[in-house]
Structures are given as C-alpha cells and as structure tokens.
Amino acid sequence: MTDSELTKEEFCRRFVEHMTKEAGFKTFNDGRPVRSYAEEQAPDYWENCGPDTNPEDAAEADMDCWED
C-alpha cells in the first residue's frame, strides 16, 4: 500500500504510533499524554495535508515544533 492509498484511519493509526514511539516520553510537562495529543492532531494532518502525506513524516514535522 502506498501512502496515497491510505485511509484516514490507517493514516491516523500510523501517525499516533510513530509519535508515541519516537517522542521519548509518555506525557508532556503539563501531564497531557503524548498519545492523546497525537490522536487529536492526526485527523488535522490528514485533512490539511491530504492522503498523499506520509504519516510518519507528518508526525516528525509536528514533533520538530516542540520546545525542549
């Protein structure tokens, strides 16, 4: 399956899986779980970037904006 054939559900699953694996921590400083954040962001990336977007790349782009 190419990225352009991904369903919204598969895109979101891969986005969340990648972000939670690569974040390196389970919760943000404010106590919010990374998984919850990822689950909220994934549909927005699907809608705004389109089905041709690689979900792992989208998750990485989001994480690149996080402050240390």
Side-chain angles (χ1 to χ4, degrees):
M1 175 183 300
T2 65
D3 289 335
S4 64
E5 297 172 335
L6 290 177
T7 63
K8 182 177 182 178
E9 292 75 21
E10 179 65 11
F11 178 95
C12 292
R13 184 193 67 75
R14 285 176 48 187
F15 181 99
V16 170
E17 181 178 291
H18 185 78
M19 185 174 281
T20 55
K21 178 182 172 190
E22 297 298 320
F25 53 92
K26 293 186 185 271
T27 59
F28 292 98
N29 291 338
D30 65 359
R32 184 178 187 190
V34 171
R35 176 168 289 281
S36 295
Y37 173 82
E39 289 170 346
E40 289 177 13
Q41 296 303 310
D44 289 340
Y45 274 91
W46 168 266
E47 295 296 330
N48 294 320
C49 299
D52 292 335
T53 302
N54 177 285
E56 291 80 13
D57 290 345
E60 289 288 333
D62 190 273
M63 290 187 292
D64 285 346
C65 297
W66 296 355
E67 292 184 20
D68 292 326

